[in-house]
Amino acid sequence: MANLSQSHRILFFNTLAFMVCFACWTINGVLITFLNDRGIFEWNVVEIGWLLGIPILTGSIMRLPMGILTDKFGGKPVYCTLLILSSIPMFLLPFATNFWMFAILSFLFGMVGTSFAVGVGYTSLWYPKEWQGRALGIFGMGSSGAALTTFLAPTLLTKFSESDPENGWKWLPIIYGIALLVMGVAFLIFTQNKKIEAQSKTVKQLLQPLNSKRVWRFGLYYFLVFGSFVAFSQWLLPNFMSVYHTTLVTGGLFAALFSLPSGVIRAYGGFLSDRFGARKVMYWVLSSSVVLSFLLMFPKMEITTSGAGLLASKAGTVTSITDNQIVVGEKTYSITKEDKNAAHSRFLPSKKSWQEIVVAQNQQIQKKDLLAEGITQIHFEANMWVYLVLVILIGAAWGIGAAAVYKHIPDYFPNEVGVIGGMVGLLGGLGGFVGPIIFGYLLSTTGFWTSSWVFILIISLICLIWMHRVVVKLMKEKLPEFAKDFDHKN
């Protein structure tokens, strides 16, 4: 019990440090939007995209080497060094005066994103196998730091700018830098180092497990459940502001409502993975991602298309035209007029149809000639509150899935948790980097903000189909053994 008590203490500081790091990792999502919106810096769309993505890129590509360092030297020295050194570029950020200075400092403080690989390797050493899912799930709750940034940063920026519109924003990175520095010192004082038995392995030996196809499959899962979480943590703020015309503060609140449950529920995802098995949980997560992304991909729209027209039943001459009817010879045809006062549904698609006259007085017509063109208008409000609920649900599903993915790693790679966790985390982090870029291209190509959810639907289907094919293959090859440990093999 004493050992478990010590493990819980290490887990607490690991999770707290990860929360601080994650909050700092996503700071540009709010800060760059604010600076550009206020006209303090005039960056174009491409420059904004890079400033949003650069910290995510650094924190992603450096996860693998940081995972190796954690396996070699232990989590405490690596974590302390990361926290303290990352505070330096954060303190320097207020002195940035142009795009390149922002880009370089963003690249440097983006290293805080590697804290996940460090924390996973460090946390897993302190718990037995039956605790791995819960422990890593609780540690993953630190990703709710993104919610802290999207919830608090807009309010802080607004408050700081009231007294100093040009320079008030500079207090935000200073506060974040202080948080990193204090956390680094606390980690140094209150934690204890621990290293794995494989510390004497060469880098080549540590990288050997990366030849396994299983690692890359886990990486694709994590690309979806974690990468999408990071991407939408930044993408949802301009989404809400552009589509639903919210303020910066309200949009930040809504984005936080997505980020917070996704981060907090990871602990529950770890519990479910321990209780029912990671693969069963992943089936539920991937299926939920498919259904919810499908519901989210329908945009706020108003489509006008051809409807039921009015054709002449026999030949003749148009003798009379009014707003409501056409007379051809002795035959009278009623016209459906547009109801401009028709109410639209707030939640479901609604339509209205009418006809517009296309013939003229005294015109000679033949049988089956078009008298009035039919027009149908489909209106979909894409209610903001429904959209928000669906966003929160898919974020929660991804949070559970993130814990389930990492439940697999200590089972299959007990002596390489840092390097494997780093590789899987790298692929997931790359999802957070390329996600906003892909979303931006989809938006510019289609004109739909919800085109990003089409991309998520495709990735979700690929993950679900791949996992199911692996399960079916194993069941055919070794049914007796597989039935016994369905949740732990492959």
Short mmCIF file of all heavy atoms in Angstrom, two decimals, residues 130-138 141 264-278 281 399-400 403-404 407:
data_model
loop_
_atom_site.label_atom_id
_atom_site.label_comp_id
_atom_site.label_asym_id
_atom_site.label_seq_id
_atom_site.Cartn_x
_atom_site.Cartn_y
_atom_site.Cartn_z
N GLU A 130 -2.51 -4.50 -13.83
CA GLU A 130 -3.96 -4.33 -13.65
C GLU A 130 -4.34 -2.87 -13.39
O GLU A 130 -5.52 -2.53 -13.41
CB GLU A 130 -4.46 -5.21 -12.51
CG GLU A 130 -3.87 -4.91 -11.14
CD GLU A 130 -2.59 -5.70 -10.87
OE1 GLU A 130 -2.03 -6.25 -11.86
OE2 GLU A 130 -2.16 -5.76 -9.71
N TRP A 131 -3.35 -2.02 -13.13
CA TRP A 131 -3.61 -0.60 -12.89
C TRP A 131 -3.26 0.27 -14.10
O TRP A 131 -3.51 1.48 -14.08
CB TRP A 131 -2.81 -0.13 -11.67
CG TRP A 131 -3.60 -0.08 -10.40
CD1 TRP A 131 -3.80 -1.09 -9.50
CD2 TRP A 131 -4.31 1.05 -9.89
NE1 TRP A 131 -4.58 -0.68 -8.46
CE2 TRP A 131 -4.90 0.64 -8.67
CE3 TRP A 131 -4.51 2.35 -10.32
CZ2 TRP A 131 -5.68 1.50 -7.89
CZ3 TRP A 131 -5.27 3.21 -9.54
CH2 TRP A 131 -5.86 2.78 -8.35
N GLN A 132 -2.64 -0.32 -15.13
CA GLN A 132 -2.10 0.49 -16.21
C GLN A 132 -3.16 1.35 -16.90
O GLN A 132 -2.95 2.53 -17.16
CB GLN A 132 -1.44 -0.43 -17.26
CG GLN A 132 -0.16 -1.10 -16.77
CD GLN A 132 0.99 -0.12 -16.65
OE1 GLN A 132 1.05 0.88 -17.35
NE2 GLN A 132 1.90 -0.40 -15.73
N GLY A 133 -4.31 0.75 -17.22
CA GLY A 133 -5.35 1.50 -17.92
C GLY A 133 -5.84 2.70 -17.13
O GLY A 133 -5.94 3.82 -17.65
N ARG A 134 -6.13 2.47 -15.86
CA ARG A 134 -6.62 3.57 -15.02
C ARG A 134 -5.56 4.65 -14.82
O ARG A 134 -5.85 5.85 -14.91
CB ARG A 134 -7.06 3.01 -13.67
CG ARG A 134 -8.45 2.42 -13.66
CD ARG A 134 -8.73 1.65 -12.38
NE ARG A 134 -8.03 0.37 -12.35
CZ ARG A 134 -8.10 -0.50 -11.35
NH1 ARG A 134 -8.84 -0.21 -10.30
NH2 ARG A 134 -7.45 -1.64 -11.40
N ALA A 135 -4.32 4.21 -14.56
CA ALA A 135 -3.25 5.18 -14.30
C ALA A 135 -2.99 6.06 -15.52
O ALA A 135 -2.91 7.30 -15.42
CB ALA A 135 -1.98 4.45 -13.89
N LEU A 136 -2.87 5.43 -16.69
CA LEU A 136 -2.62 6.20 -17.90
C LEU A 136 -3.84 7.03 -18.30
O LEU A 136 -3.69 8.11 -18.88
CB LEU A 136 -2.21 5.26 -19.04
CG LEU A 136 -0.86 4.55 -18.85
CD1 LEU A 136 -0.60 3.58 -20.00
CD2 LEU A 136 0.27 5.55 -18.73
N GLY A 137 -5.03 6.53 -17.98
CA GLY A 137 -6.23 7.31 -18.24
C GLY A 137 -6.28 8.56 -17.38
O GLY A 137 -6.62 9.65 -17.86
N ILE A 138 -5.94 8.41 -16.11
CA ILE A 138 -5.90 9.57 -15.21
C ILE A 138 -4.84 10.56 -15.66
O ILE A 138 -5.07 11.77 -15.70
CB ILE A 138 -5.65 9.12 -13.76
CG1 ILE A 138 -6.86 8.33 -13.24
CG2 ILE A 138 -5.36 10.31 -12.86
CD1 ILE A 138 -6.62 7.67 -11.90
N MET A 141 -5.85 12.80 -18.41
CA MET A 141 -6.75 13.90 -18.06
C MET A 141 -6.04 15.24 -18.16
O MET A 141 -6.69 16.29 -18.27
CB MET A 141 -7.31 13.71 -16.65
CG MET A 141 -8.31 12.58 -16.52
SD MET A 141 -8.75 12.27 -14.78
CE MET A 141 -9.48 13.86 -14.34
N VAL A 264 -11.01 15.10 -19.31
CA VAL A 264 -11.37 14.54 -18.01
C VAL A 264 -11.81 13.08 -18.11
O VAL A 264 -11.49 12.25 -17.26
CB VAL A 264 -12.47 15.39 -17.34
CG1 VAL A 264 -12.98 14.72 -16.08
CG2 VAL A 264 -11.93 16.79 -17.02
N ILE A 265 -12.53 12.75 -19.18
CA ILE A 265 -13.12 11.41 -19.29
C ILE A 265 -12.08 10.35 -19.63
O ILE A 265 -12.40 9.15 -19.62
CB ILE A 265 -14.25 11.43 -20.34
CG1 ILE A 265 -15.27 10.32 -20.04
CG2 ILE A 265 -13.68 11.29 -21.75
CD1 ILE A 265 -16.53 10.42 -20.88
N ARG A 266 -10.86 10.76 -19.90
CA ARG A 266 -9.83 9.76 -20.20
C ARG A 266 -9.61 8.80 -19.03
O ARG A 266 -9.29 7.63 -19.22
CB ARG A 266 -8.51 10.46 -20.56
CG ARG A 266 -8.52 11.06 -21.93
CD ARG A 266 -7.17 11.60 -22.32
NE ARG A 266 -6.20 10.53 -22.56
CZ ARG A 266 -5.15 10.67 -23.34
NH1 ARG A 266 -4.93 11.80 -23.97
NH2 ARG A 266 -4.29 9.69 -23.50
N ALA A 267 -9.77 9.31 -17.82
CA ALA A 267 -9.63 8.42 -16.65
C ALA A 267 -10.69 7.33 -16.69
O ALA A 267 -10.41 6.16 -16.39
CB ALA A 267 -9.75 9.24 -15.36
N TYR A 268 -11.90 7.70 -17.08
CA TYR A 268 -12.97 6.71 -17.19
C TYR A 268 -12.67 5.74 -18.33
O TYR A 268 -12.97 4.54 -18.24
CB TYR A 268 -14.30 7.42 -17.44
CG TYR A 268 -15.49 6.49 -17.47
CD1 TYR A 268 -15.81 5.68 -16.38
CD2 TYR A 268 -16.31 6.42 -18.60
CE1 TYR A 268 -16.90 4.83 -16.41
CE2 TYR A 268 -17.41 5.58 -18.64
CZ TYR A 268 -17.70 4.78 -17.54
OH TYR A 268 -18.78 3.93 -17.58
N GLY A 269 -12.05 6.24 -19.39
CA GLY A 269 -11.65 5.38 -20.49
C GLY A 269 -10.62 4.35 -20.04
O GLY A 269 -10.66 3.19 -20.47
N GLY A 270 -9.72 4.75 -19.16
CA GLY A 270 -8.76 3.80 -18.61
C GLY A 270 -9.42 2.74 -17.76
O GLY A 270 -9.08 1.55 -17.82
N PHE A 271 -10.39 3.17 -16.95
CA PHE A 271 -11.14 2.21 -16.13
C PHE A 271 -11.89 1.22 -17.01
O PHE A 271 -11.88 0.01 -16.75
CB PHE A 271 -12.12 2.98 -15.23
CG PHE A 271 -13.13 2.09 -14.55
CD1 PHE A 271 -12.78 1.33 -13.44
CD2 PHE A 271 -14.44 2.02 -15.03
CE1 PHE A 271 -13.72 0.51 -12.83
CE2 PHE A 271 -15.38 1.21 -14.42
CZ PHE A 271 -15.02 0.45 -13.31
N LEU A 272 -12.56 1.71 -18.06
CA LEU A 272 -13.29 0.82 -18.96
C LEU A 272 -12.36 -0.16 -19.66
O LEU A 272 -12.70 -1.33 -19.86
CB LEU A 272 -14.05 1.65 -20.01
CG LEU A 272 -15.23 2.49 -19.50
CD1 LEU A 272 -15.80 3.32 -20.65
CD2 LEU A 272 -16.31 1.62 -18.87
N SER A 273 -11.16 0.31 -20.01
CA SER A 273 -10.20 -0.55 -20.69
C SER A 273 -9.72 -1.66 -19.76
O SER A 273 -9.51 -2.80 -20.20
CB SER A 273 -9.02 0.28 -21.19
OG SER A 273 -9.45 1.24 -22.13
N ASP A 274 -9.51 -1.33 -18.49
CA ASP A 274 -9.12 -2.36 -17.51
C ASP A 274 -10.25 -3.34 -17.27
O ASP A 274 -10.04 -4.54 -17.09
CB ASP A 274 -8.72 -1.70 -16.18
CG ASP A 274 -7.35 -1.05 -16.24
OD1 ASP A 274 -6.55 -1.46 -17.10
OD2 ASP A 274 -7.09 -0.14 -15.43
N ARG A 275 -11.46 -2.84 -17.26
CA ARG A 275 -12.63 -3.65 -16.90
C ARG A 275 -13.09 -4.54 -18.06
O ARG A 275 -13.35 -5.74 -17.87
CB ARG A 275 -13.76 -2.72 -16.46
CG ARG A 275 -15.05 -3.44 -16.07
CD ARG A 275 -14.97 -4.07 -14.70
NE ARG A 275 -16.21 -4.71 -14.35
CZ ARG A 275 -17.25 -4.09 -13.78
NH1 ARG A 275 -17.15 -2.79 -13.51
NH2 ARG A 275 -18.33 -4.75 -13.48
N PHE A 276 -13.20 -3.97 -19.25
CA PHE A 276 -13.79 -4.70 -20.37
C PHE A 276 -12.80 -5.03 -21.49
O PHE A 276 -13.14 -5.79 -22.40
CB PHE A 276 -14.96 -3.90 -20.97
CG PHE A 276 -16.04 -3.59 -19.98
CD1 PHE A 276 -16.18 -2.32 -19.46
CD2 PHE A 276 -16.91 -4.58 -19.54
CE1 PHE A 276 -17.17 -2.02 -18.54
CE2 PHE A 276 -17.90 -4.29 -18.62
CZ PHE A 276 -18.03 -3.01 -18.12
N GLY A 277 -11.63 -4.47 -21.43
CA GLY A 277 -10.65 -4.70 -22.48
C GLY A 277 -10.59 -3.55 -23.46
O GLY A 277 -11.61 -2.96 -23.82
N ALA A 278 -9.38 -3.21 -23.87
CA ALA A 278 -9.18 -2.04 -24.72
C ALA A 278 -9.86 -2.18 -26.08
O ALA A 278 -10.38 -1.21 -26.63
CB ALA A 278 -7.69 -1.77 -24.90
N VAL A 281 -13.57 -1.45 -26.02
CA VAL A 281 -13.75 0.00 -25.88
C VAL A 281 -13.50 0.70 -27.21
O VAL A 281 -14.24 1.61 -27.60
CB VAL A 281 -12.81 0.56 -24.79
CG1 VAL A 281 -12.88 2.09 -24.74
CG2 VAL A 281 -13.18 -0.01 -23.42
N GLY A 399 -11.79 11.01 -26.05
CA GLY A 399 -11.05 10.95 -24.79
C GLY A 399 -10.98 9.53 -24.26
O GLY A 399 -9.93 9.08 -23.79
N ILE A 400 -12.10 8.81 -24.32
CA ILE A 400 -12.13 7.41 -23.90
C ILE A 400 -11.21 6.58 -24.79
O ILE A 400 -10.44 5.72 -24.33
CB ILE A 400 -13.56 6.87 -23.93
CG1 ILE A 400 -14.41 7.56 -22.86
CG2 ILE A 400 -13.58 5.36 -23.72
CD1 ILE A 400 -15.88 7.21 -22.91
N ALA A 403 -7.39 6.82 -24.04
CA ALA A 403 -6.96 5.97 -22.93
C ALA A 403 -6.88 4.52 -23.37
O ALA A 403 -5.97 3.78 -22.98
CB ALA A 403 -7.92 6.13 -21.75
N ALA A 404 -7.83 4.08 -24.19
CA ALA A 404 -7.85 2.70 -24.64
C ALA A 404 -6.65 2.37 -25.51
O ALA A 404 -6.08 1.28 -25.43
CB ALA A 404 -9.15 2.42 -25.41
N LYS A 407 -3.65 1.82 -23.35
CA LYS A 407 -3.77 0.62 -22.51
C LYS A 407 -3.01 -0.53 -23.16
O LYS A 407 -2.45 -1.40 -22.48
CB LYS A 407 -5.24 0.28 -22.33
CG LYS A 407 -5.52 -1.14 -21.80
CD LYS A 407 -4.96 -1.38 -20.43
CE LYS A 407 -5.32 -2.78 -19.95
NZ LYS A 407 -4.65 -3.12 -18.68
#
